[in-house]
Amino acid sequence: MQDLKAFQQLLDTPKKVVITAHSNPDADALGAALGLASYLKKKQHQVQVITPTDYPQFLHWMYGQKEVMVYSNGQEKKATLLMEEADMIFCLDFSSLNRIEDMGEIVRNSKALKVVIDHHMGKEMFADFEFWDVQAAATCELLYQLIIDLGERRLIDKDMAECLYAGIMTDTGSFRHPNTTKHVHEVVADLIELGANVSKVSKLVYDNNSMDRLRFIGYALSEKLVVLPEYNTAYFAITAKDLEKFNSRTGDTEGLVNYALSIEGITMAAIIIDRSEAVKLSFRSIGDFPVNELAAKHFEGGGHKNAAGGISHQSLEETVKKFLQLLPLYKSQLHKSLKEQELHLT
Ligand code: 5GP
Ligand code: MN
């Protein structure tokens, strides 16, 4: 962070703090929010975590989770007041205000000092302090680094270490994605030193399925997966009925897109889901194919080069059609990405 000294001074006196994370928070967003909340509480600040929407059951073990305020769960008035009256608002795991939906303009208009801690591209200029690095694997990695830079490693306890570990573990695909650097391993080694129980965290995050979710994955793989070898692409289109049939809950579709990406010869995978508000798209790629650019250009979205998302206000059918019509435009790039990937692996 550029103005670390000024930031440090600000944190020296108790403040009213709101911490937000992007909508549909994942382990990195929620882990960072709760890790930061614990840290700031130890420094005598008055802290409230507010998320725009709820988050998966498999994150409910995180320390402090019960105190999170979910804006869209009828908490709009209370949350708005807190954001308006805050001295500081932290924005975690996003840096463009449309990622927190209706809360975006409330944050923008609040007189609070705004702090962004994030690793996504497409940063908007609204913050007073930024700790932003697109090379970082996770926001939790950045938050750890910030606390170290502030000289306060001693304040990271076991519960915080496990929140941060969860965010880094999931955003690196369990230390398998290209963002898994030496620094990432050094950070998690220290989090283990600080008490994080890695097998406990991975069990809670990954091996915590409901029967419905597992059967849904089986159904999607056998009935819904479409593979287009000529475009090195595979995708799922999931209807509202499919979700209903398997009593789908928040987070149940998470990770499904990775199965499509695991198919030999596939460089781009997508999952297109008919959610009640809109059609939501998630993209993954391997190699140099930038799904964030595709998401930004065609689906009002963004993210990282190899993991991005967007939305569509057309029907599921129309959205799938649009997606399929785009593929010929990217055909050679998708193929090239495979060839480059093969070179990297030799
Ligand atoms: P996921 O597919 O897991 O929802 O998201 C993958 C990545 O893309 C995440 O880093 C997430 O923040 C980003 N992302 C997902 N949906 C959107 C979206 O609608 N807009 C933008 N700008 N980024 C998104
Ligand atoms: Mn993240």
Side-chain angles (χ1 to χ4, degrees), residues 22 93 99 120 280-284 300-304 307-311:
H22 61 74
D93 206 32
R99 294 287 287 123
H120 289 92
K280 181 81 192 131
L281 300 97
S282 272
F283 301 101
R284 297 292 184 271
E300 304 170 31
H304 313 278
I311 53 164

Side-chain angles (χ1 to χ4, degrees), residues 22-24 26 93-94 96 98-99 118-121 171 254-255 257 271 280-284 292 295-296 299-304 306-311:
H22 61 74
S23 71
N24 302 315
D26 55 11
D93 206 32
F94 71 95
S96 145
N98 61 6
R99 294 287 287 123
D118 185 39
H119 65 137
H120 289 92
M121 286 187 230
D171 265 26
E254 204 155 300
V257 65
I271 182 164
K280 181 81 192 131
L281 300 97
S282 272
F283 301 101
R284 297 292 184 271
N292 53 346
F299 299 105
E300 304 170 31
H304 313 278
N306 297 126
I311 53 164

Side-chain angles (χ1 to χ4, degrees), residues 86-339:
D87 300 314
M88 293 178 89
I89 299 180
F90 283 80
C91 299
L92 299 189
D93 206 32
F94 71 95
S95 43
S96 145
L97 288 170
N98 61 6
R99 294 287 287 123
I100 51 171
E101 303 175 21
D102 293 351
M103 283 168 51
E105 289 313 300
I106 306 167
V107 170
R108 191 194 302 282
N109 296 328
S110 166
K111 59 176 194 329
L113 283 168
K114 285 134 211 159
V115 185
V116 161
I117 307 175
D118 185 39
H119 65 137
H120 289 92
M121 286 187 230
K123 178 166 62 70
E124 210 182 305
M125 303 292 281
F126 67 91
D128 301 281
F129 294 91
E130 289 174 351
F131 196 48
W132 180 80
D133 180 0
V134 292
Q135 305 295 333
T139 295
C140 285
E141 180 189 1
L142 289 172
L143 177 59
Y144 166 87
Q145 193 57 54
L146 183 60
I147 297 174
I148 297 297
D149 293 349
L150 290 166
E152 294 190 305
R153 180 180 178 277
R154 68 184 187 288
L155 293 186
I156 305 178
D157 61 25
K158 175 180 162 66
D159 292 321
M160 287 166 69
E162 289 182 343
C163 286
L164 301 186
Y165 181 85
I168 299 172
M169 176 183 78
T170 53
D171 265 26
T172 56
S174 296
F175 311 102
R176 293 185 307 156
H177 297 332
N179 60 6
T180 311
T181 57
K182 175 170 173 274
H183 184 252
V184 162
H185 279 292
E186 285 165 352
V187 171
V188 296
D190 198 33
L191 292 174
I192 293 168
E193 175 81 24
L194 289 160
N197 180 336
V198 301
S199 62
K200 172 186 133 186
V201 173
S202 86
K203 168 109 185 73
L204 288 167
V205 172
Y206 294 125
D207 300 333
N208 211 353
N209 287 314
S210 64
M211 263 325 279
D212 276 333
R213 177 175 190 233
L214 223 52
R215 295 220 188 276
F216 169 71
I217 293 172
Y219 165 78
L221 288 172
S222 79
E223 309 292 324
K224 294 278 156 167
L225 178 62
V226 180
V227 183
L228 304 168
E230 67 274 33
Y231 296 117
N232 305 94
T233 294
Y235 72 96
F236 301 92
I238 306 292
T239 65
K241 242 192 178 149
D242 294 332
L243 297 176
E244 213 177 293
K245 188 170 162 193
F246 292 92
N247 302 309
S248 183
R249 294 182 304 182
T250 307
D252 277 3
T253 54
E254 204 155 300
L256 189 55
V257 65
N258 295 316
Y259 287 101
L261 194 67
S262 73
I263 301 167
E264 198 180 1
I266 295 303
T267 50
M268 173 166 70
I271 182 164
I272 308 172
I273 307 176
D274 192 359
R275 301 273 182 209
S276 45
E277 341 64 83
V279 172
K280 181 81 192 131
L281 300 97
S282 272
F283 301 101
R284 297 292 184 271
S285 68
I286 55 164
D288 275 340
F289 188 79
V291 277
N292 53 346
E293 285 175 24
L294 183 139
K297 196 159 174 200
H298 305 285
F299 299 105
E300 304 170 31
H304 313 278
K305 185 175 77 178
N306 297 126
I311 53 164
S312 156
H313 300 288
Q314 293 177 300
S315 68
L316 179 68
E317 236 169 64
E318 288 292 319
T319 308
V320 171
K321 204 164 136 197
K322 177 174 171 181
F323 173 67
L324 294 177
Q325 279 170 352
L326 292 173
L327 295 179
L329 307 176
Y330 293 102
K331 186 174 177 173
S332 65
Q333 252 179 295
L334 286 162
H335 192 65
K336 196 163 144 248
S337 191
L338 180 69
K339 291 289 146 212

